[in-house]
Amino acid sequence: MDPLLQIEDLEVRFGTFHAVRGVSLTLARGEKLAIIGESGSGKSVTALSVMRLLDGAARTSGRIALQGAEVLDLPAPALRRLRGRQVAMVFQDPMTSLNPVFPVGRQIGDVLAAHTDLPRAARRARAVELLRQVGIREAERCLTLHPHELSGGMRQRVMIALAIACDPALLIADEPTTALDVTVQEQITRLLVDLCRARGIGLLFISHNLDLVGEFADRIAVMHEGRIVEIGEAAQVMGAPQAEYTRRLLAAIPRIGLPGEGRLPDTPVVLETRAVSRAYPRARSAVARLWDRRQVQALRPSDLQVHAGQVLGIVGESGSGKSTLARLLIGLDQPTGGNVLLQGASLKPRNRTERRALSRRIQLVFQGSQASLNPRKTIRRALSEAMQALPRPERRSPEALMALVRLDPGLLDRYPHQLSGGQRQRVGIARALATSPEILIADEPTSALDVSVQKEIIELLQSLQRDLGMTMIVISHDLGLIGTICDRVLVMRAGAIVETGEARQVLTHPATDYTRALLESLPKGLAGRARFASPA
Amino acid sequence: MLARSPVALLGLALIAAIGVIAVLAPVLPLPSPSATSILDSYLPPSAEHWFGTDALGRDVLSRTLWGARSSLAIGLGIVVIGMVLGVSLGLAAAEAAGTLFEELAMRLVDIFAAIPVLIWAIAVVGIVGTGATQIGPVSLSNEAKLVLLVGILFFPGIARITYGLALAELTQEYVDARRLQGTGSAAILFGDVLPNILSPLLVQASVLVGIGIIIEASLSFVGLGVQPPMPSWGSMLADSKQTVFSGEYWLSLFPGLAIFLSVIGFNLLGDGLRDLFDPRRRTRLPKGAA
């Protein structure tokens, strides 16, 4: 029997950039194939080629056969019939892939109207049925809602309902859970896998997360620099990888380590909060606030203590208040209640002199995305500016800072866009260390980076913390990162601290259901296959 | 960079040509723009007077070239005033987001945006009169008054654009990093934020210069702008209004053409710059291939 999808010698070029270099793969009916790769590996471009969704700048050659149709040669009308009816796609960000101005019901109705001849009433009934199938309980009500009224997980469910509306033979999911919280990620992956299994849909699942696809994929293809470096049964690729690159990827995944035995030393508390809370007014404008006094409680009164020389991890999903807490801890924002105390004294800087003094004691490392450095300033300038709070004799040379984070000083005269993600994040760390702070707060320090780079940055932060004897606070949604480097852990949910304790204790014997759920929903690679073995 | 946009290049060439003429007008071998000669009135274009002469026998070519000086100076001056006020207010309002100052500043912008420019200019010049005005020790020429009065009305549009762009830019992580270094608001706004939002502002500015030139011409046309004997395209058009249908086409054609070319020059430059700066027009790589 013919395979559902057959790709032979696919090549894609954008100008001089060779994105996909001779990719060949097949996908059988009902099979679940995962393509794994880091950014720039060509995995998304390969997926988009199957739908012929690449823009005009792309030069494509090779052969893509889908149920016997030559996709690359199809005329436009046939291509439109192919999209939706035979292949459907689920994207990473359901906020931008749903149209924000139309209610959900209309968007599903439009797809049905385009591909079927169902009458209006039947389309509505079918939309309700589809929403039920993707696990939306109040399907009738959901039809009337706009995308912004739905949570991220709900939006992704709607996207999946749209994708399966016309019973496609192949579903392409491009990083469908990357923008979602870990507990939601598990639900959505499960939904996709169950749907495809029940309907015999072939699934092409694009991801950077090996542990995630290891739980359910039949086969895994690993892409690197436009080529498939390894393809095979999931158990084989994950368990006994042949390619050097696959081995590196597997080794780089941050997994919760086994924290060492023995009690943590009792060091003095350097930073603490006393019933600190932050509420934001609902109304944005000062005038509207005169009559609209409603508030959103981003952080409920919370107490925490950070011990000198230790690493505290703050874990939480989006909206848990962890970033609000970080901004309060560093004085970028002021609490609406309670206090932040730095060695017993209130943190609030009253003027610029105090702000500068504070900048020498506590600093922040950002996500390391493009936005963390001013695109118009060279690295040298960014690092020099970071030292302006210091008196001249104490300033170090930018070269010395680069050496500290193990970067080539030759990069000093480059602009941020000329650096890789990992290099940018090292510069971000160097900038934070410019004033030799006692306390370093890292807010999602690896979330914008590829897996192999994440490992380097984690190791760098660890060794710097040890060598400089810094106190560190790491904020992340990634339990793997937290479990790797933290001494103590604090779990947040919906603006409140739900659990706190030594990392070893919290991560192995969680006291609350929420922490347990977080730990359980963490993708576990081959070890997690059991939960996908049968439909829920 | 401009080489990638032929439109911007054409606009720039037009403006540069007019600019060079304006600067060089005093040294070009031309008769004085205000030298009258009754015997030579209404001469059609010829080898001696390329653009002909007007009712007082003044050389139209010379007057048109000299007119470029006042048109460009006033057009640019208006935009400089508008940019200084608009950018400052827009940045300050964005930095003060959520406060009463933001609200007051942006409502002030709304009020000024509601005033029709020409009617305002005619009314105010009508009240304070043409010619130099003495304000304490400072003497303002009529042209300086025009630049100030009209420039004030140009700031709302610029303030709104600046405000919107700055609001978005202020949420970037590098801005927080600067705050954590103890850098003051003004240094962050002008040193970090402004350079990153300058491109769209320059596009707006170049289009506004074109509008400024038209306003100058309109005011001079009704006699409230540049005062004789200084030549201006607007006042030349006003002088030619009796002769439009009597055959002396050169009196209105050349100043009209000058206005047309300079306005279209600034608009082309603006369009071209916008295309160059618009990230959507750059060749993109799809997600995942970047």
Side-chain angles (χ1 to χ4, degrees), chain A residues 7 23 25 32-37 41-44 46-47 50 173-175 203-209 213 217 219-223 227-228 231:
Chain A
I7 300 178
V23 162
L25 56 85
K32 297 181 285 294
L33 172 68
I35 302 184
I36 287 288
S41 63
K43 58 188 194 301
S44 288
T46 305
V50 177
D174 189 357
E175 301 266 12
L203 177 66
L204 188 62
F205 195 101
I206 319 288
S207 178
H208 66 281
N209 192 334
V213 304
R219 285 190 304 144
I220 297 177
V222 181
M223 282 191 76
R227 291 190 179 85
I228 292 186
I231 182 166

PDB file of all heavy atoms in Angstrom, chain A residues 7 23 25 32-37 41-44 46-47 50 173-175 203-209 213 217 219-223 227-228 231:
ATOM      1  N   ILE A   7       7.991  12.119   0.831  1.00  0.00           N
ATOM      2  CA  ILE A   7       8.832  13.268   0.456  1.00  0.00           C
ATOM      3  C   ILE A   7      10.151  12.716  -0.063  1.00  0.00           C
ATOM      4  O   ILE A   7      10.765  11.862   0.588  1.00  0.00           O
ATOM      5  CB  ILE A   7       9.090  14.185   1.669  1.00  0.00           C
ATOM      6  CG1 ILE A   7       7.772  14.723   2.226  1.00  0.00           C
ATOM      7  CG2 ILE A   7      10.014  15.337   1.292  1.00  0.00           C
ATOM      8  CD1 ILE A   7       7.932  15.604   3.445  1.00  0.00           C
ATOM      9  N   VAL A  23      15.814  16.320   1.916  1.00  0.00           N
ATOM     10  CA  VAL A  23      15.079  15.556   2.924  1.00  0.00           C
ATOM     11  C   VAL A  23      14.174  14.527   2.242  1.00  0.00           C
ATOM     12  O   VAL A  23      13.454  14.861   1.314  1.00  0.00           O
ATOM     13  CB  VAL A  23      14.242  16.501   3.811  1.00  0.00           C
ATOM     14  CG1 VAL A  23      13.151  15.731   4.549  1.00  0.00           C
ATOM     15  CG2 VAL A  23      15.141  17.220   4.805  1.00  0.00           C
ATOM     16  N   LEU A  25      11.432  11.391   3.360  1.00  0.00           N
ATOM     17  CA  LEU A  25      10.797  10.610   4.426  1.00  0.00           C
ATOM     18  C   LEU A  25       9.426  10.141   3.958  1.00  0.00           C
ATOM     19  O   LEU A  25       8.859  10.681   3.009  1.00  0.00           O
ATOM     20  CB  LEU A  25      10.688  11.400   5.730  1.00  0.00           C
ATOM     21  CG  LEU A  25       9.976  12.740   5.762  1.00  0.00           C
ATOM     22  CD1 LEU A  25       8.485  12.577   5.936  1.00  0.00           C
ATOM     23  CD2 LEU A  25      10.507  13.550   6.943  1.00  0.00           C
ATOM     24  N   LYS A  32       2.344   8.083  13.468  1.00  0.00           N
ATOM     25  CA  LYS A  32       2.703   9.327  14.166  1.00  0.00           C
ATOM     26  C   LYS A  32       4.214   9.524  14.044  1.00  0.00           C
ATOM     27  O   LYS A  32       4.995   8.832  14.668  1.00  0.00           O
ATOM     28  CB  LYS A  32       2.293   9.250  15.636  1.00  0.00           C
ATOM     29  CG  LYS A  32       0.788   9.107  15.829  1.00  0.00           C
ATOM     30  CD  LYS A  32       0.373   9.062  17.274  1.00  0.00           C
ATOM     31  CE  LYS A  32       0.680   7.742  17.948  1.00  0.00           C
ATOM     32  NZ  LYS A  32      -0.103   6.611  17.412  1.00  0.00           N
ATOM     33  N   LEU A  33       4.587  10.491  13.186  1.00  0.00           N
ATOM     34  CA  LEU A  33       6.006  10.752  12.950  1.00  0.00           C
ATOM     35  C   LEU A  33       6.353  12.113  13.545  1.00  0.00           C
ATOM     36  O   LEU A  33       5.652  13.094  13.311  1.00  0.00           O
ATOM     37  CB  LEU A  33       6.288  10.764  11.444  1.00  0.00           C
ATOM     38  CG  LEU A  33       7.691  11.209  11.017  1.00  0.00           C
ATOM     39  CD1 LEU A  33       8.750  10.214  11.442  1.00  0.00           C
ATOM     40  CD2 LEU A  33       7.758  11.429   9.515  1.00  0.00           C
ATOM     41  N   ALA A  34       7.413  12.161  14.313  1.00  0.00           N
ATOM     42  CA  ALA A  34       7.844  13.434  14.895  1.00  0.00           C
ATOM     43  C   ALA A  34       9.111  13.903  14.202  1.00  0.00           C
ATOM     44  O   ALA A  34       9.993  13.105  13.918  1.00  0.00           O
ATOM     45  CB  ALA A  34       8.097  13.267  16.385  1.00  0.00           C
ATOM     46  N   ILE A  35       9.172  15.199  13.897  1.00  0.00           N
ATOM     47  CA  ILE A  35      10.418  15.783  13.403  1.00  0.00           C
ATOM     48  C   ILE A  35      10.968  16.673  14.502  1.00  0.00           C
ATOM     49  O   ILE A  35      10.295  17.588  14.985  1.00  0.00           O
ATOM     50  CB  ILE A  35      10.206  16.614  12.119  1.00  0.00           C
ATOM     51  CG1 ILE A  35       9.587  15.754  11.024  1.00  0.00           C
ATOM     52  CG2 ILE A  35      11.535  17.176  11.647  1.00  0.00           C
ATOM     53  CD1 ILE A  35       9.436  16.476   9.703  1.00  0.00           C
ATOM     54  N   ILE A  36      12.189  16.373  14.902  1.00  0.00           N
ATOM     55  CA  ILE A  36      12.829  17.084  16.007  1.00  0.00           C
ATOM     56  C   ILE A  36      13.959  17.932  15.448  1.00  0.00           C
ATOM     57  O   ILE A  36      14.670  17.505  14.543  1.00  0.00           O
ATOM     58  CB  ILE A  36      13.420  16.043  16.988  1.00  0.00           C
ATOM     59  CG1 ILE A  36      12.310  15.379  17.770  1.00  0.00           C
ATOM     60  CG2 ILE A  36      14.433  16.676  17.924  1.00  0.00           C
ATOM     61  CD1 ILE A  36      11.682  16.282  18.793  1.00  0.00           C
ATOM     62  N   GLY A  37      14.109  19.126  15.974  1.00  0.00           N
ATOM     63  CA  GLY A  37      15.239  19.942  15.543  1.00  0.00           C
ATOM     64  C   GLY A  37      15.255  21.239  16.309  1.00  0.00           C
ATOM     65  O   GLY A  37      14.264  21.626  16.934  1.00  0.00           O
ATOM     66  N   SER A  41      16.789  24.438  11.859  1.00  0.00           N
ATOM     67  CA  SER A  41      17.134  23.101  11.379  1.00  0.00           C
ATOM     68  C   SER A  41      16.359  22.746  10.111  1.00  0.00           C
ATOM     69  O   SER A  41      16.682  21.776   9.442  1.00  0.00           O
ATOM     70  CB  SER A  41      16.845  22.068  12.460  1.00  0.00           C
ATOM     71  OG  SER A  41      15.472  22.050  12.753  1.00  0.00           O
ATOM     72  N   GLY A  42      15.319  23.541   9.784  1.00  0.00           N
ATOM     73  CA  GLY A  42      14.550  23.267   8.581  1.00  0.00           C
ATOM     74  C   GLY A  42      13.309  22.429   8.830  1.00  0.00           C
ATOM     75  O   GLY A  42      12.613  22.060   7.899  1.00  0.00           O
ATOM     76  N   LYS A  43      12.991  22.165  10.093  1.00  0.00           N
ATOM     77  CA  LYS A  43      11.848  21.295  10.377  1.00  0.00           C
ATOM     78  C   LYS A  43      10.521  21.957  10.015  1.00  0.00           C
ATOM     79  O   LYS A  43       9.652  21.326   9.420  1.00  0.00           O
ATOM     80  CB  LYS A  43      11.844  20.842  11.842  1.00  0.00           C
ATOM     81  CG  LYS A  43      11.821  21.968  12.864  1.00  0.00           C
ATOM     82  CD  LYS A  43      12.021  21.417  14.273  1.00  0.00           C
ATOM     83  CE  LYS A  43      11.683  22.437  15.353  1.00  0.00           C
ATOM     84  NZ  LYS A  43      12.459  23.683  15.296  1.00  0.00           N
ATOM     85  N   SER A  44      10.385  23.245  10.349  1.00  0.00           N
ATOM     86  CA  SER A  44       9.135  23.930  10.015  1.00  0.00           C
ATOM     87  C   SER A  44       9.009  24.146   8.514  1.00  0.00           C
ATOM     88  O   SER A  44       7.922  24.045   7.955  1.00  0.00           O
ATOM     89  CB  SER A  44       9.062  25.284  10.719  1.00  0.00           C
ATOM     90  OG  SER A  44       8.838  25.101  12.085  1.00  0.00           O
ATOM     91  N   THR A  46      10.142  22.269   6.182  1.00  0.00           N
ATOM     92  CA  THR A  46       9.725  20.993   5.606  1.00  0.00           C
ATOM     93  C   THR A  46       8.214  20.821   5.752  1.00  0.00           C
ATOM     94  O   THR A  46       7.517  20.456   4.797  1.00  0.00           O
ATOM     95  CB  THR A  46      10.453  19.829   6.311  1.00  0.00           C
ATOM     96  OG1 THR A  46      11.853  20.064   6.236  1.00  0.00           O
ATOM     97  CG2 THR A  46      10.114  18.501   5.680  1.00  0.00           C
ATOM     98  N   ALA A  47       7.700  21.107   6.945  1.00  0.00           N
ATOM     99  CA  ALA A  47       6.270  20.950   7.190  1.00  0.00           C
ATOM    100  C   ALA A  47       5.458  21.895   6.320  1.00  0.00           C
ATOM    101  O   ALA A  47       4.445  21.511   5.721  1.00  0.00           O
ATOM    102  CB  ALA A  47       5.968  21.197   8.664  1.00  0.00           C
ATOM    103  N   VAL A  50       4.876  20.839   2.687  1.00  0.00           N
ATOM    104  CA  VAL A  50       3.841  19.838   2.419  1.00  0.00           C
ATOM    105  C   VAL A  50       2.514  20.520   2.133  1.00  0.00           C
ATOM    106  O   VAL A  50       1.712  20.060   1.329  1.00  0.00           O
ATOM    107  CB  VAL A  50       3.713  18.861   3.616  1.00  0.00           C
ATOM    108  CG1 VAL A  50       2.591  17.872   3.382  1.00  0.00           C
ATOM    109  CG2 VAL A  50       5.027  18.144   3.848  1.00  0.00           C
ATOM    110  N   ALA A 173       1.275  19.206  12.913  1.00  0.00           N
ATOM    111  CA  ALA A 173       1.253  20.037  14.114  1.00  0.00           C
ATOM    112  C   ALA A 173       2.647  20.619  14.297  1.00  0.00           C
ATOM    113  O   ALA A 173       3.600  19.899  14.523  1.00  0.00           O
ATOM    114  CB  ALA A 173       0.844  19.212  15.326  1.00  0.00           C
ATOM    115  N   ASP A 174       2.745  21.964  14.139  1.00  0.00           N
ATOM    116  CA  ASP A 174       4.052  22.612  14.219  1.00  0.00           C
ATOM    117  C   ASP A 174       4.217  23.222  15.609  1.00  0.00           C
ATOM    118  O   ASP A 174       3.656  24.264  15.903  1.00  0.00           O
ATOM    119  CB  ASP A 174       4.150  23.692  13.134  1.00  0.00           C
ATOM    120  CG  ASP A 174       5.562  24.262  13.014  1.00  0.00           C
ATOM    121  OD1 ASP A 174       6.426  23.848  13.802  1.00  0.00           O
ATOM    122  OD2 ASP A 174       5.776  25.114  12.145  1.00  0.00           O
ATOM    123  N   GLU A 175       4.972  22.585  16.461  1.00  0.00           N
ATOM    124  CA  GLU A 175       5.190  23.040  17.841  1.00  0.00           C
ATOM    125  C   GLU A 175       3.862  23.387  18.512  1.00  0.00           C
ATOM    126  O   GLU A 175       3.706  24.479  19.064  1.00  0.00           O
ATOM    127  CB  GLU A 175       6.107  24.280  17.853  1.00  0.00           C
ATOM    128  CG  GLU A 175       7.464  24.072  17.226  1.00  0.00           C
ATOM    129  CD  GLU A 175       8.537  23.692  18.252  1.00  0.00           C
ATOM    130  OE1 GLU A 175       8.174  23.381  19.392  1.00  0.00           O
ATOM    131  OE2 GLU A 175       9.725  23.673  17.874  1.00  0.00           O
ATOM    132  N   LEU A 203      -0.084  11.676  11.661  1.00  0.00           N
ATOM    133  CA  LEU A 203       0.312  12.869  12.408  1.00  0.00           C
ATOM    134  C   LEU A 203       1.779  13.178  12.153  1.00  0.00           C
ATOM    135  O   LEU A 203       2.644  12.328  12.339  1.00  0.00           O
ATOM    136  CB  LEU A 203       0.069  12.651  13.909  1.00  0.00           C
ATOM    137  CG  LEU A 203       0.502  13.780  14.852  1.00  0.00           C
ATOM    138  CD1 LEU A 203      -0.321  15.033  14.622  1.00  0.00           C
ATOM    139  CD2 LEU A 203       0.360  13.340  16.314  1.00  0.00           C
ATOM    140  N   LEU A 204       2.026  14.395  11.668  1.00  0.00           N
ATOM    141  CA  LEU A 204       3.405  14.865  11.518  1.00  0.00           C
ATOM    142  C   LEU A 204       3.607  15.922  12.591  1.00  0.00           C
ATOM    143  O   LEU A 204       3.024  17.000  12.525  1.00  0.00           O
ATOM    144  CB  LEU A 204       3.614  15.460  10.121  1.00  0.00           C
ATOM    145  CG  LEU A 204       5.043  15.824   9.729  1.00  0.00           C
ATOM    146  CD1 LEU A 204       5.934  14.602   9.712  1.00  0.00           C
ATOM    147  CD2 LEU A 204       5.047  16.491   8.361  1.00  0.00           C
ATOM    148  N   PHE A 205       4.367  15.608  13.612  1.00  0.00           N
ATOM    149  CA  PHE A 205       4.469  16.438  14.807  1.00  0.00           C
ATOM    150  C   PHE A 205       5.854  17.080  14.846  1.00  0.00           C
ATOM    151  O   PHE A 205       6.865  16.400  14.972  1.00  0.00           O
ATOM    152  CB  PHE A 205       4.258  15.540  16.034  1.00  0.00           C
ATOM    153  CG  PHE A 205       3.990  16.286  17.315  1.00  0.00           C
ATOM    154  CD1 PHE A 205       2.701  16.408  17.803  1.00  0.00           C
ATOM    155  CD2 PHE A 205       5.027  16.830  18.051  1.00  0.00           C
ATOM    156  CE1 PHE A 205       2.444  17.070  19.003  1.00  0.00           C
ATOM    157  CE2 PHE A 205       4.776  17.505  19.250  1.00  0.00           C
ATOM    158  CZ  PHE A 205       3.485  17.620  19.723  1.00  0.00           C
ATOM    159  N   ILE A 206       5.880  18.408  14.686  1.00  0.00           N
ATOM    160  CA  ILE A 206       7.163  19.121  14.679  1.00  0.00           C
ATOM    161  C   ILE A 206       7.426  19.639  16.081  1.00  0.00           C
ATOM    162  O   ILE A 206       6.556  20.263  16.683  1.00  0.00           O
ATOM    163  CB  ILE A 206       7.111  20.347  13.736  1.00  0.00           C
ATOM    164  CG1 ILE A 206       6.388  20.029  12.453  1.00  0.00           C
ATOM    165  CG2 ILE A 206       8.490  20.928  13.516  1.00  0.00           C
ATOM    166  CD1 ILE A 206       7.120  19.151  11.544  1.00  0.00           C
ATOM    167  N   SER A 207       8.610  19.403  16.594  1.00  0.00           N
ATOM    168  CA  SER A 207       8.877  19.865  17.956  1.00  0.00           C
ATOM    169  C   SER A 207      10.376  19.994  18.192  1.00  0.00           C
ATOM    170  O   SER A 207      11.191  19.462  17.451  1.00  0.00           O
ATOM    171  CB  SER A 207       8.274  18.882  18.956  1.00  0.00           C
ATOM    172  OG  SER A 207       8.557  19.293  20.270  1.00  0.00           O
ATOM    173  N   HIS A 208      10.730  20.730  19.244  1.00  0.00           N
ATOM    174  CA  HIS A 208      12.130  20.783  19.661  1.00  0.00           C
ATOM    175  C   HIS A 208      12.314  19.898  20.888  1.00  0.00           C
ATOM    176  O   HIS A 208      13.406  19.753  21.391  1.00  0.00           O
ATOM    177  CB  HIS A 208      12.512  22.221  20.002  1.00  0.00           C
ATOM    178  CG  HIS A 208      11.777  22.727  21.208  1.00  0.00           C
ATOM    179  ND1 HIS A 208      10.475  23.172  21.148  1.00  0.00           N
ATOM    180  CD2 HIS A 208      12.135  22.792  22.498  1.00  0.00           C
ATOM    181  CE1 HIS A 208      10.077  23.503  22.352  1.00  0.00           C
ATOM    182  NE2 HIS A 208      11.054  23.284  23.200  1.00  0.00           N
ATOM    183  N   ASN A 209      11.210  19.330  21.383  1.00  0.00           N
ATOM    184  CA  ASN A 209      11.212  18.675  22.683  1.00  0.00           C
ATOM    185  C   ASN A 209      11.244  17.155  22.535  1.00  0.00           C
ATOM    186  O   ASN A 209      10.224  16.512  22.304  1.00  0.00           O
ATOM    187  CB  ASN A 209       9.960  19.129  23.445  1.00  0.00           C
ATOM    188  CG  ASN A 209      10.015  18.748  24.912  1.00  0.00           C
ATOM    189  OD1 ASN A 209      10.697  17.782  25.279  1.00  0.00           O
ATOM    190  ND2 ASN A 209       9.311  19.487  25.736  1.00  0.00           N
ATOM    191  N   VAL A 213       8.035  14.154  22.452  1.00  0.00           N
ATOM    192  CA  VAL A 213       7.647  13.267  21.357  1.00  0.00           C
ATOM    193  C   VAL A 213       8.001  11.810  21.673  1.00  0.00           C
ATOM    194  O   VAL A 213       7.372  10.890  21.155  1.00  0.00           O
ATOM    195  CB  VAL A 213       8.260  13.693  20.005  1.00  0.00           C
ATOM    196  CG1 VAL A 213       7.887  15.127  19.696  1.00  0.00           C
ATOM    197  CG2 VAL A 213       9.755  13.529  20.002  1.00  0.00           C
ATOM    198  N   ALA A 217       5.415   9.216  19.821  1.00  0.00           N
ATOM    199  CA  ALA A 217       5.688   9.075  18.389  1.00  0.00           C
ATOM    200  C   ALA A 217       6.029   7.627  18.036  1.00  0.00           C
ATOM    201  O   ALA A 217       6.678   6.925  18.812  1.00  0.00           O
ATOM    202  CB  ALA A 217       6.834   9.994  17.989  1.00  0.00           C
ATOM    203  N   ARG A 219       7.680   6.974  15.071  1.00  0.00           N
ATOM    204  CA  ARG A 219       9.031   7.167  14.576  1.00  0.00           C
ATOM    205  C   ARG A 219       9.458   8.605  14.819  1.00  0.00           C
ATOM    206  O   ARG A 219       8.612   9.503  14.918  1.00  0.00           O
ATOM    207  CB  ARG A 219       9.113   6.849  13.077  1.00  0.00           C
ATOM    208  CG  ARG A 219       9.075   5.327  12.794  1.00  0.00           C
ATOM    209  CD  ARG A 219       9.397   5.048  11.352  1.00  0.00           C
ATOM    210  NE  ARG A 219       8.491   5.768  10.465  1.00  0.00           N
ATOM    211  CZ  ARG A 219       8.861   6.300   9.300  1.00  0.00           C
ATOM    212  NH1 ARG A 219      10.113   6.211   8.891  1.00  0.00           N
ATOM    213  NH2 ARG A 219       7.983   6.914   8.543  1.00  0.00           N
ATOM    214  N   ILE A 220      10.760   8.819  14.897  1.00  0.00           N
ATOM    215  CA  ILE A 220      11.286  10.166  15.120  1.00  0.00           C
ATOM    216  C   ILE A 220      12.344  10.456  14.053  1.00  0.00           C
ATOM    217  O   ILE A 220      13.183   9.604  13.770  1.00  0.00           O
ATOM    218  CB  ILE A 220      11.929  10.296  16.516  1.00  0.00           C
ATOM    219  CG1 ILE A 220      10.879  10.079  17.606  1.00  0.00           C
ATOM    220  CG2 ILE A 220      12.600  11.665  16.691  1.00  0.00           C
ATOM    221  CD1 ILE A 220      11.429  10.123  19.022  1.00  0.00           C
ATOM    222  N   ALA A 221      12.245  11.650  13.445  1.00  0.00           N
ATOM    223  CA  ALA A 221      13.291  12.098  12.529  1.00  0.00           C
ATOM    224  C   ALA A 221      13.992  13.274  13.189  1.00  0.00           C
ATOM    225  O   ALA A 221      13.346  14.198  13.665  1.00  0.00           O
ATOM    226  CB  ALA A 221      12.696  12.528  11.199  1.00  0.00           C
ATOM    227  N   VAL A 222      15.318  13.248  13.251  1.00  0.00           N
ATOM    228  CA  VAL A 222      16.068  14.342  13.858  1.00  0.00           C
ATOM    229  C   VAL A 222      16.687  15.174  12.742  1.00  0.00           C
ATOM    230  O   VAL A 222      17.404  14.636  11.894  1.00  0.00           O
ATOM    231  CB  VAL A 222      17.177  13.809  14.787  1.00  0.00           C
ATOM    232  CG1 VAL A 222      17.928  14.967  15.427  1.00  0.00           C
ATOM    233  CG2 VAL A 222      16.586  12.894  15.841  1.00  0.00           C
ATOM    234  N   MET A 223      16.366  16.462  12.724  1.00  0.00           N
ATOM    235  CA  MET A 223      16.902  17.340  11.671  1.00  0.00           C
ATOM    236  C   MET A 223      17.950  18.272  12.239  1.00  0.00           C
ATOM    237  O   MET A 223      17.842  18.755  13.363  1.00  0.00           O
ATOM    238  CB  MET A 223      15.788  18.152  11.020  1.00  0.00           C
ATOM    239  CG  MET A 223      14.973  17.363  10.021  1.00  0.00           C
ATOM    240  SD  MET A 223      13.888  18.432   9.043  1.00  0.00           S
ATOM    241  CE  MET A 223      15.059  19.177   7.916  1.00  0.00           C
ATOM    242  N   ARG A 227      19.198  18.885   7.171  1.00  0.00           N
ATOM    243  CA  ARG A 227      19.269  17.469   6.808  1.00  0.00           C
ATOM    244  C   ARG A 227      18.651  16.616   7.900  1.00  0.00           C
ATOM    245  O   ARG A 227      18.652  16.996   9.072  1.00  0.00           O
ATOM    246  CB  ARG A 227      20.722  17.023   6.640  1.00  0.00           C
ATOM    247  CG  ARG A 227      21.406  17.626   5.445  1.00  0.00           C
ATOM    248  CD  ARG A 227      22.744  16.958   5.194  1.00  0.00           C
ATOM    249  NE  ARG A 227      23.365  17.550   4.031  1.00  0.00           N
ATOM    250  CZ  ARG A 227      24.100  18.658   4.064  1.00  0.00           C
ATOM    251  NH1 ARG A 227      24.320  19.262   5.214  1.00  0.00           N
ATOM    252  NH2 ARG A 227      24.611  19.170   2.967  1.00  0.00           N
ATOM    253  N   ILE A 228      18.149  15.443   7.509  1.00  0.00           N
ATOM    254  CA  ILE A 228      17.735  14.464   8.506  1.00  0.00           C
ATOM    255  C   ILE A 228      18.983  13.694   8.898  1.00  0.00           C
ATOM    256  O   ILE A 228      19.576  13.001   8.071  1.00  0.00           O
ATOM    257  CB  ILE A 228      16.665  13.516   7.944  1.00  0.00           C
ATOM    258  CG1 ILE A 228      15.378  14.301   7.696  1.00  0.00           C
ATOM    259  CG2 ILE A 228      16.414  12.360   8.906  1.00  0.00           C
ATOM    260  CD1 ILE A 228      14.214  13.457   7.270  1.00  0.00           C
ATOM    261  N   ILE A 231      16.750   8.904  11.485  1.00  0.00           N
ATOM    262  CA  ILE A 231      15.315   8.640  11.483  1.00  0.00           C
ATOM    263  C   ILE A 231      15.119   7.184  11.846  1.00  0.00           C
ATOM    264  O   ILE A 231      15.885   6.321  11.410  1.00  0.00           O
ATOM    265  CB  ILE A 231      14.662   8.996  10.124  1.00  0.00           C
ATOM    266  CG1 ILE A 231      13.154   8.760  10.161  1.00  0.00           C
ATOM    267  CG2 ILE A 231      15.292   8.224   8.970  1.00  0.00           C
ATOM    268  CD1 ILE A 231      12.408   9.401   8.995  1.00  0.00           C
TER     269      ILE A 231
END
